[in-house]
Amino acid sequence: ARWRRRPQYANLGAYRRVLTALDPYRVKLTAQVDPGDLVVPFEGAAPSWLLPGQQVHFRHFKLIQNRVGTISIVNANSFVLVAPMPVSLPAGAQAIVMAPARLADGTKVTRYSDDAQDVAIALDVTPGEDVLYVPPAAPSVFAGYELFDAKPNWTSSLDVTWQHPLEEVDFGRGVTWHREYIDFAGYVIRMSYNERREAKVRDIVDLFWRQRGKCGEFWLPTWSDDMKMKVDMLESDPVMRIGGTDLFDDYSAQTTHQAIYIQFVDGTVATRKVIGFSTVSDAIGDDTTLTLDAAFGSGLTRSSIRKISWLMRVSFATDQLRLEWVTDEVANIQLTFQTLEAL
């Protein structure tokens, strides 16, 4: 069939410099803003990245046209616009910070018929003109490092790649020389955090900012059922008995598995450092014992435990964080972690 419409292409060169909305940096209006109003109230305290002089994009499904305003003053839970609002904004509308950006060198258009096409637009935010963001303090800290225990989605696979780097030197004379320049086995973990609401997305963005990408270290549970407690623990006893000696054989001489994360059936959690591995042989079997840094005040019963996982010291495996916004309130995130020594 012959397409009857000739393709039309805009002169994109005239629109190279644009303003783009930075979706993670947004606040939600708590009350309606009427035409002529200057004050825009929003939920919560003013975030550190909301500053005078910034331009904000107002978004709501009832708005027919996009509206952009410039902030003159930021208060505790509102900001003041430079010019009065020309239209009405309902409660629940979003004010999203915008930043100068440029269209990428190429813009790809995929045509499926004479009147259906996809346009892929890439925008590069101008360096130095994006949001200056200061994240809040870590909400949870264990043994001097932040604890990140947001559960991943099991609708997508949790991928683990074991790594034990080996350096090989081959002089081309037959015998080669090998060196293990890292004397512990680590692994890279990829977890999916899908369909996260804005508050949960913000938690992950804050973590990434606090860690400065790959620079920082923090704790992460494996979310696996890594061991089974064999005997109930008394309230003053810091020694946990695990069935079998495999745990001792596999982990007693390494430096990466040095803490545990316990999930209880009532929804609460507990964390403990492992300060020693040993074995025990008696009438009930040959087992591994873990000496923990603290006992459980009311004791610990097997029936109260849902799962015991290793708590790993990790860093982000990349300096980039990608957010895939499915809607204006829901995002999918893929995070990749590199395990470290817990020294």
Side-chain angles (χ1 to χ4, degrees), residues 209-249:
W209 274 93
R210 282 191 294 267
Q211 302 303 322
R212 293 295 187 265
K214 295 191 294 184
C215 291
E217 301 179 18
F218 54 98
W219 296 104
L220 176 77
T222 62
W223 301 111
S224 301
D225 196 0
D226 292 321
M227 61 195 78
K228 296 289 188 182
M229 190 174 72
K230 189 171 183 178
V231 178
D232 294 348
M233 297 175 63
L234 300 176
E235 59 184 17
S236 60
D237 186 8
V239 177
M240 177 180 289
R241 183 163 179 165
I242 307 297
T245 60
D246 291 344
L247 211 66
F248 177 85
D249 297 337

Side-chain angles (χ1 to χ4, degrees), residues 109-141:
V109 178
T110 303
R111 297 178 58 82
Y112 300 104
S113 70
D114 60 342
D115 59 356
Q117 60 188 358
D118 284 343
V119 181
I121 297 177
L123 296 171
D124 295 326
V125 175
T126 305
E129 297 188 22
D130 52 350
V131 172
L132 177 62
Y133 181 57
V134 179
S140 181
V141 175

Side-chain angles (χ1 to χ4, degrees), residues 263-321:
Q263 301 175 64
F264 297 102
V265 294
D266 63 1
T268 59
V269 299
T271 53
R272 290 293 188 273
K273 285 276 287 181
V274 178
I275 60 177
F277 292 79
S278 61
T279 59
V280 60
S281 297
D282 55 20
I284 63 173
D286 299 329
D287 300 317
T288 300
T289 59
L290 306 180
T291 302
L292 308 179
D293 61 342
F296 297 89
S298 58
L300 191 62
T301 61
R302 288 167 290 171
S303 61
S304 67
I305 297 175
R306 179 175 175 268
K307 185 186 298 183
I308 304 177
S309 304
W310 286 115
L311 187 62
M312 307 298 295
R313 185 86 62 80
V314 302
S315 68
F316 284 106
T318 176
D319 284 323
Q320 293 182 338
L321 176 63

